[in-house]
Amino acid sequence: MLYHPKWSKAKKRLMGFVCESLHSRVDFQVINYRKAHDQLGRAVITVDKVEMLSMCTITAEREEYYRERDIRIQSDDFSYDNIFNNRAIQEQAHEQLKMEGIYAQYDFFSALEEYFNSPIEVSLKSNDRLIKILCMLDRRVGKRTLRKMKEFISEENTLVQDFYKLRCDAENIHSSE
């Protein structure tokens, strides 16, 4: 599944949301592997040209396969004929990967779609880490909101915390404030 609203347009729109203080430091890239059977590759978020998050479809799908296998072993369910059970196992495996921060390119596109179509207030409360990361970079999240977030940011995933710290440093918001 290639991203249909052309990536160049989506990237331009996404970069339009990035706050001024990080605009020249943050970049989003999509690398498609033309020789892969589905032509999917990876999506990358870089800061100062260093990869902060790589969302590789091949890695995610390989890990998902292993998780599905482990779930089947733990539940002693080796039948593949129940389509509802298969779907449930696949969803469970996929959620485990997302909780561990292992994403595929299509997870990025899915998060991007939700982010683009939701108000920033809704996105900030999302359970999706990718959406929260995008919020940390968003110009619509002001200094006052960032200061309020300090109280509960420690409950967030390390990656979300890293992007929060990046944004706070860029905005000269110090932990003592």
Side-chain angles (χ1 to χ4, degrees):
M1 168 190 112
L2 294 171
Y3 191 66
H4 282 291
K6 293 264 185 250
W7 169 240
S8 57
K9 284 186 180 182
K11 181 177 178 177
K12 188 174 183 177
R13 184 174 178 195
L14 185 56
M15 288 305 291
F17 283 119
V18 175
C19 66
E20 190 62 39
S21 60
L22 290 173
H23 201 273
S24 63
R25 298 179 59 197
V26 172
D27 195 17
F28 303 90
Q29 295 153 357
V30 168
I31 301 110
N32 289 316
Y33 302 133
R34 289 181 296 147
K35 294 188 187 229
H37 72 284
D38 54 8
Q39 295 190 345
L40 284 176
R42 58 192 194 115
V44 179
I45 301 175
T46 61
V47 177
D48 299 327
K49 297 188 181 355
V50 174
E51 281 188 17
M52 293 286 287
L53 180 59
S54 176
M55 297 155 275
C56 180
T57 303
I58 295 168
T59 301
E61 287 183 349
R62 181 186 63 232
E63 288 300 317
E64 189 171 305
Y65 168 79
Y66 292 134
R67 296 303 155 83
E68 286 179 32
R69 185 194 62 193
D70 293 347
I71 292 167
R72 285 186 192 284
I73 289 169
Q74 289 173 354
S75 65
D76 289 330
D77 180 10
F78 298 102
S79 65
Y80 290 88
D81 54 348
N82 183 338
I83 195 163
F84 298 108
N85 195 33
N86 289 340
R87 186 72 185 138
I89 289 172
Q90 183 183 22
E91 287 175 11
Q92 185 181 351
H94 190 77
E95 284 306 311
Q96 283 180 9
L97 292 178
K98 285 171 67 174
M99 291 303 293
E100 293 174 31
I102 300 172
Y103 298 100
Q105 187 185 59
Y106 52 79
D107 292 320
F108 176 67
F109 291 146
S110 177
L112 202 56
E113 198 67 40
E114 189 177 330
Y115 173 73
F116 283 158
N117 294 315
S118 301
I120 192 67
E121 298 79 21
V122 172
S123 294
L124 279 166
K125 294 176 183 165
S126 173
N127 290 327
D128 190 315
R129 291 180 184 157
L130 294 176
I131 293 173
K132 283 196 175 167
I133 287 169
L134 295 174
C135 288
M136 295 302 119
L137 304 172
D138 197 308
R139 63 180 161 72
R140 298 171 295 173
V141 176
K143 290 182 180 184
R144 192 175 322 141
T145 304
L146 288 167
R147 285 186 185 103
K148 285 180 191 173
M149 292 174 79
K150 184 175 69 169
E151 297 170 25
F152 56 88
I153 198 71
S154 61
E155 298 166 16
E156 291 291 344
N157 170 272
T158 313
L159 201 53
V160 176
Q161 289 179 30
D162 290 345
F163 278 93
Y164 173 78
K165 289 174 190 159
L166 172 74
R167 176 70 187 275
C168 287
D169 288 346
E171 300 288 351
N172 288 320
I173 297 171
H174 305 287
S175 56
S176 59
E177 290 182 39

